[in-house]
Amino acid sequence: MCGRYVATTPAAVLAAYFDVDEVIAEPEGPRFNVAPTDPVPAVAVSGDGRRRLGCLRWGLVPSWSRRDDAARHINARSETALEKPAFRTAFARRRCILPADGFYEWQRGPDGSRQAWFIHRLDGAPMAFAGLWDAWRRPDGEVVRGGAVLTTVANDLMAPIHDRMPVLLEAGDWQEWLEPGNDDLVGLSSLMVPAEEGVLGRYPVRRLVNNVRNEGPELLEPDPGHPEGVGHR
């Protein structure tokens, strides 16, 4: 799963990297501890075929929902997304990319303690989380657009930490995934695989990240008390 991540890349850099045609909303500054229901950058293709960079609330509320339950839908299991009422229409029609600089995951120790890890691309490029989005109307009439991260089984790097990980799309898959008119659900489902070995790296971080109120680049500092944190840069 993915319960917290990092989004610090400036909008202009994201726009160039994801080859967007228009920036309709810029992220609210660098975030080192993105949490559920926070605003996050998102890339999607509009009805006129333009690729746009904007913002979504992290947490998808289906358009038909009677209540705001965004925090329950920050992740969607890719294996069952087409079966779940909350996600199946979005998978078929409203797909997006949620850019990230990396994500945190917690490993539970034998004594019940939890060690936070930061997972990132080894090439330093932004991650492209496969995402879904939907628009929900509040009782007061305000429309809220929210997104969910699709997850898959962990690869060998992630498996010792957690059994799930976000689906990461490579550049060659972006257009296929984003194209609203693409109804090849079998082909789209074939993209829902773990990241290839050698793409990602990991290192342990300090307990600062455990508190969702903490924010800043110090959250990415390696944990000097962990063997894999010593000497990491």
Coordinates of all heavy atoms in Angstrom, one line a residue, residues 143-194:
V143 N -17.6 20.9 -5.8 CA -17.2 19.7 -6.4 C -15.7 19.4 -6.0 O -14.9 20.3 -6.1 CB -17.2 19.8 -7.9 CG1 -16.6 18.6 -8.6 CG2 -18.7 20.0 -8.4
V144 N -15.5 18.2 -5.4 CA -14.2 17.8 -5.0 C -13.7 16.7 -5.9 O -14.3 15.7 -6.0 CB -14.2 17.4 -3.5 CG1 -12.8 17.0 -3.0 CG2 -14.8 18.4 -2.6
R145 N -12.5 16.9 -6.5 CA -11.9 15.9 -7.3 C -10.8 15.2 -6.5 O -9.9 15.9 -6.0 CB -11.3 16.5 -8.6 CG -12.4 17.0 -9.5 CD -11.8 17.7 -10.7 NE -12.9 18.0 -11.7 CZ -13.7 19.1 -11.6 NH1 -13.6 19.9 -10.5 NH2 -14.7 19.3 -12.5
G146 N -10.9 13.9 -6.4 CA -10.0 13.1 -5.6 C -9.4 12.0 -6.3 O -10.0 11.5 -7.3
G147 N -8.2 11.5 -5.9 CA -7.5 10.4 -6.6 C -7.1 9.3 -5.7 O -6.9 9.5 -4.4
A148 N -6.9 8.2 -6.2 CA -6.4 7.0 -5.5 C -5.2 6.4 -6.2 O -5.1 6.5 -7.4 CB -7.4 5.9 -5.3
V149 N -4.2 5.9 -5.4 CA -3.0 5.2 -6.0 C -3.3 3.7 -6.2 O -3.8 3.1 -5.2 CB -1.8 5.4 -5.0 CG1 -0.6 4.6 -5.6 CG2 -1.5 6.9 -4.9
L150 N -3.1 3.2 -7.4 CA -3.2 1.8 -7.6 C -2.0 1.0 -7.0 O -0.9 1.5 -7.2 CB -3.4 1.5 -9.1 CG -4.8 1.8 -9.6 CD1 -4.7 2.1 -11.1 CD2 -5.7 0.7 -9.4
T151 N -2.3 -0.1 -6.4 CA -1.2 -0.9 -5.8 C -1.1 -2.3 -6.4 O -2.1 -2.8 -7.0 CB -1.3 -1.0 -4.3 OG1 -2.5 -1.7 -4.0 CG2 -1.4 0.4 -3.7
T152 N 0.0 -2.9 -6.2 CA 0.2 -4.3 -6.7 C 1.1 -5.0 -5.7 O 1.5 -4.4 -4.7 CB 0.9 -4.2 -8.1 OG1 0.9 -5.6 -8.6 CG2 2.3 -3.7 -8.1
V153 N 1.4 -6.2 -6.0 CA 2.3 -7.0 -5.1 C 3.7 -6.4 -5.1 O 4.1 -5.8 -6.0 CB 2.3 -8.5 -5.5 CG1 1.0 -9.1 -5.4 CG2 2.8 -8.6 -7.0
A154 N 4.4 -6.6 -4.0 CA 5.7 -6.1 -3.8 C 6.7 -6.8 -4.7 O 6.6 -8.0 -4.9 CB 6.1 -6.1 -2.3
N155 N 7.7 -6.0 -5.1 CA 8.9 -6.7 -5.8 C 9.9 -7.1 -4.7 O 9.6 -7.0 -3.5 CB 9.5 -5.8 -6.8 CG 10.1 -4.5 -6.2 OD1 10.2 -4.3 -5.0 ND2 10.5 -3.6 -7.1
D156 N 11.0 -7.7 -5.1 CA 12.0 -8.2 -4.1 C 12.5 -7.1 -3.2 O 12.8 -7.4 -2.1 CB 13.1 -8.9 -4.9 CG 12.7 -10.2 -5.5 OD1 11.6 -10.7 -5.2 OD2 13.5 -10.7 -6.4
L157 N 12.6 -5.9 -3.7 CA 13.2 -4.8 -2.9 C 12.2 -4.5 -1.7 O 12.6 -4.2 -0.6 CB 13.4 -3.6 -3.7 CG 13.9 -2.3 -2.9 CD1 15.4 -2.4 -2.8 CD2 13.5 -1.0 -3.6
M158 N 10.9 -4.5 -2.1 CA 9.9 -4.1 -1.1 C 9.4 -5.2 -0.2 O 8.9 -4.9 0.9 CB 8.6 -3.5 -1.9 CG 8.8 -2.1 -2.4 SD 8.9 -0.9 -1.0 CE 7.4 -1.2 -0.1
A159 N 9.5 -6.4 -0.7 CA 8.9 -7.6 0.0 C 9.3 -7.7 1.5 O 8.5 -8.0 2.4 CB 9.2 -8.9 -0.7
P160 N 10.6 -7.4 1.9 CA 10.9 -7.5 3.3 C 10.2 -6.4 4.2 O 10.2 -6.5 5.4 CB 12.4 -7.3 3.3 CG 12.9 -7.6 1.9 CD 11.8 -7.1 1.0
I161 N 9.7 -5.3 3.5 CA 9.1 -4.2 4.2 C 7.6 -4.3 4.3 O 7.0 -4.2 5.3 CB 9.6 -2.9 3.6 CG1 11.1 -2.8 3.6 CG2 8.9 -1.7 4.3 CD1 11.6 -1.6 2.8
H162 N 7.0 -4.6 3.1 CA 5.6 -4.7 3.0 C 5.2 -5.6 1.8 O 6.0 -5.7 0.8 CB 5.0 -3.3 2.8 CG 3.5 -3.2 3.1 ND1 2.6 -3.5 2.2 CD2 2.9 -2.8 4.2 CE1 1.4 -3.3 2.8 NE2 1.5 -2.9 4.0
D163 N 4.0 -6.2 1.8 CA 3.7 -7.1 0.7 C 3.0 -6.3 -0.5 O 2.7 -7.0 -1.5 CB 2.7 -8.2 1.2 CG 1.4 -7.7 1.8 OD1 1.3 -6.4 1.9 OD2 0.6 -8.5 2.1
R164 N 2.8 -5.0 -0.4 CA 2.2 -4.2 -1.4 C 3.1 -3.0 -1.8 O 3.9 -2.6 -1.0 CB 0.8 -3.7 -1.0 CG -0.2 -4.7 -0.6 CD -0.7 -5.6 -1.7 NE -1.4 -4.8 -2.7 CZ -1.9 -5.4 -3.8 NH1 -1.7 -6.7 -4.0 NH2 -2.6 -4.7 -4.7
M165 N 2.9 -2.5 -3.0 CA 3.6 -1.3 -3.4 C 2.8 -0.6 -4.5 O 1.9 -1.2 -5.1 CB 5.0 -1.6 -4.0 CG 5.0 -2.4 -5.3 SD 6.6 -2.8 -5.9 CE 7.4 -1.2 -6.0
P166 N 3.0 0.7 -4.7 CA 2.3 1.4 -5.7 C 2.7 0.9 -7.1 O 3.8 0.4 -7.3 CB 2.8 2.9 -5.6 CG 3.3 3.0 -4.2 CD 3.9 1.6 -3.9
V167 N 1.8 1.0 -8.1 CA 2.1 0.7 -9.5 C 2.8 1.9 -10.0 O 2.3 3.0 -10.0 CB 0.8 0.4 -10.3 CG1 1.2 0.2 -11.8 CG2 0.1 -0.9 -9.8
L168 N 4.0 1.7 -10.6 CA 4.8 2.7 -11.1 C 4.8 2.6 -12.7 O 5.3 1.5 -13.2 CB 6.3 2.7 -10.6 CG 6.4 2.7 -9.1 CD1 7.9 2.6 -8.7 CD2 5.7 3.9 -8.5
L169 N 4.4 3.6 -13.4 CA 4.3 3.6 -14.8 C 5.6 4.1 -15.4 O 6.1 5.2 -15.0 CB 3.1 4.4 -15.3 CG 1.8 3.9 -14.9 CD1 0.7 4.9 -15.3 CD2 1.5 2.5 -15.4
E170 N 6.1 3.5 -16.4 CA 7.3 4.0 -17.1 C 6.8 4.9 -18.3 O 5.7 4.8 -18.7 CB 8.2 2.9 -17.6 CG 8.8 2.0 -16.5 CD 9.8 2.8 -15.6 OE1 10.4 3.8 -16.1 OE2 9.9 2.5 -14.4
A171 N 7.7 5.7 -18.8 CA 7.3 6.8 -19.7 C 6.6 6.2 -21.0 O 5.7 6.8 -21.5 CB 8.5 7.6 -20.2
G172 N 7.0 5.0 -21.4 CA 6.4 4.4 -22.6 C 5.0 4.0 -22.4 O 4.2 3.7 -23.4
D173 N 4.5 4.0 -21.1 CA 3.1 3.5 -20.8 C 2.2 4.7 -20.5 O 1.0 4.5 -20.4 CB 3.1 2.6 -19.6 CG 4.0 1.4 -19.8 OD1 4.0 0.8 -21.0 OD2 4.6 0.9 -18.9
W174 N 2.7 5.9 -20.4 CA 1.9 7.0 -20.0 C 0.7 7.3 -20.9 O -0.4 7.5 -20.4 CB 2.8 8.3 -19.8 CG 3.8 8.2 -18.8 CD1 4.0 7.3 -17.8 CD2 4.9 9.1 -18.6 NE1 5.1 7.5 -17.0 CE2 5.7 8.6 -17.5 CE3 5.4 10.3 -19.2 CZ2 6.8 9.3 -17.0 CZ3 6.5 10.9 -18.8 CH2 7.2 10.4 -17.7
Q175 N 1.0 7.4 -22.2 CA -0.1 7.8 -23.1 C -1.2 6.7 -23.1 O -2.4 7.0 -23.1 CB 0.4 8.0 -24.5 CG -0.7 8.5 -25.4 CD -1.3 9.8 -25.0 OE1 -0.7 10.6 -24.3 NE2 -2.6 9.9 -25.2
E176 N -0.8 5.4 -23.1 CA -1.8 4.3 -23.0 C -2.6 4.4 -21.8 O -3.9 4.2 -21.8 CB -1.1 3.0 -23.1 CG -2.0 1.8 -23.0 CD -1.3 0.5 -23.0 OE1 0.0 0.5 -23.1 OE2 -1.9 -0.6 -23.0
W177 N -2.0 4.7 -20.7 CA -2.7 4.8 -19.4 C -3.7 6.0 -19.3 O -4.8 5.9 -18.9 CB -1.8 4.8 -18.3 CG -2.4 4.9 -16.9 CD1 -2.4 6.0 -16.1 CD2 -3.2 3.9 -16.3 NE1 -3.1 5.8 -14.9 CE2 -3.6 4.5 -15.0 CE3 -3.6 2.6 -16.6 CZ2 -4.5 3.8 -14.1 CZ3 -4.4 1.9 -15.7 CH2 -4.8 2.5 -14.5
L178 N -3.2 7.1 -19.8 CA -3.9 8.4 -19.7 C -5.0 8.6 -20.7 O -6.0 9.3 -20.4 CB -3.0 9.6 -19.8 CG -1.9 9.7 -18.6 CD1 -1.0 10.9 -19.0 CD2 -2.6 10.0 -17.3
E179 N -5.0 8.0 -21.8 CA -5.9 8.2 -22.9 C -7.4 7.8 -22.5 O -7.6 6.7 -22.2 CB -5.5 7.4 -24.1 CG -6.5 7.5 -25.3 CD -6.7 8.9 -25.7 OE1 -5.7 9.6 -26.0 OE2 -7.9 9.3 -25.7
P180 N -8.3 8.8 -22.3 CA -9.6 8.5 -21.8 C -10.4 7.6 -22.7 O -11.2 6.8 -22.3 CB -10.3 9.9 -21.8 CG -9.2 10.9 -21.8 CD -8.1 10.3 -22.6
G181 N -10.1 7.6 -24.1 CA -10.8 6.7 -25.0 C -10.3 5.3 -25.1 O -10.9 4.5 -25.8
N182 N -9.2 5.0 -24.3 CA -8.7 3.7 -24.4 C -9.5 2.7 -23.5 O -9.5 2.8 -22.3 CB -7.2 3.7 -23.9 CG -6.6 2.3 -23.9 OD1 -7.2 1.3 -24.4 ND2 -5.3 2.2 -23.5
D183 N -10.3 1.9 -24.2 CA -11.2 0.9 -23.4 C -10.6 -0.5 -23.4 O -11.4 -1.4 -23.1 CB -12.6 1.0 -24.0 CG -12.7 0.6 -25.4 OD1 -11.6 0.3 -26.0 OD2 -13.8 0.6 -26.0
D184 N -9.3 -0.6 -23.7 CA -8.7 -2.0 -23.7 C -8.3 -2.3 -22.2 O -7.2 -2.1 -21.8 CB -7.4 -2.0 -24.6 CG -6.7 -3.3 -24.5 OD1 -7.3 -4.3 -24.0 OD2 -5.6 -3.4 -25.1
L185 N -9.3 -2.7 -21.5 CA -9.1 -2.9 -20.0 C -8.1 -4.1 -19.8 O -7.4 -4.1 -18.8 CB -10.4 -3.2 -19.3 CG -11.4 -2.1 -19.5 CD1 -12.7 -2.4 -18.6 CD2 -10.9 -0.7 -19.0
V186 N -8.0 -5.0 -20.7 CA -7.1 -6.1 -20.5 C -5.7 -5.6 -20.7 O -4.8 -5.9 -19.9 CB -7.3 -7.3 -21.5 CG1 -6.2 -8.3 -21.5 CG2 -8.7 -7.9 -21.3
G187 N -5.5 -4.8 -21.7 CA -4.1 -4.2 -21.9 C -3.8 -3.2 -20.8 O -2.6 -3.2 -20.3
L188 N -4.7 -2.5 -20.3 CA -4.4 -1.6 -19.1 C -4.1 -2.4 -17.9 O -3.2 -2.0 -17.1 CB -5.6 -0.6 -18.9 CG -5.9 0.4 -20.0 CD1 -7.2 1.1 -19.8 CD2 -4.8 1.5 -20.0
S189 N -4.8 -3.4 -17.7 CA -4.5 -4.3 -16.5 C -3.2 -4.9 -16.6 O -2.5 -5.2 -15.5 CB -5.6 -5.4 -16.4 OG -6.9 -4.8 -16.1
S190 N -2.6 -5.1 -17.8 CA -1.3 -5.7 -17.9 C -0.2 -4.7 -17.4 O 1.0 -5.2 -17.2 CB -1.0 -6.1 -19.3 OG -0.9 -5.0 -20.2
L191 N -0.5 -3.5 -17.2 CA 0.5 -2.5 -16.7 C 0.6 -2.5 -15.2 O 1.5 -1.9 -14.6 CB 0.1 -1.1 -17.1 CG -0.1 -0.8 -18.6 CD1 -0.5 0.7 -18.9 CD2 1.2 -1.0 -19.4
M192 N -0.4 -3.3 -14.6 CA -0.4 -3.3 -13.1 C 0.5 -4.3 -12.5 O 0.2 -5.3 -12.0 CB -1.9 -3.6 -12.6 CG -2.9 -2.6 -13.2 SD -2.8 -0.9 -12.6 CE -2.0 -0.1 -13.9
V193 N 1.8 -4.0 -12.7 CA 2.9 -5.0 -12.2 C 3.9 -4.3 -11.3 O 4.0 -3.0 -11.3 CB 3.6 -5.6 -13.5 CG1 2.6 -6.4 -14.3 CG2 4.2 -4.5 -14.3
P194 N 4.6 -5.0 -10.5 CA 5.6 -4.4 -9.7 C 6.7 -3.8 -10.5 O 7.0 -4.1 -11.6 CB 6.2 -5.6 -8.9 CG 5.2 -6.7 -9.0 CD 4.5 -6.5 -10.4

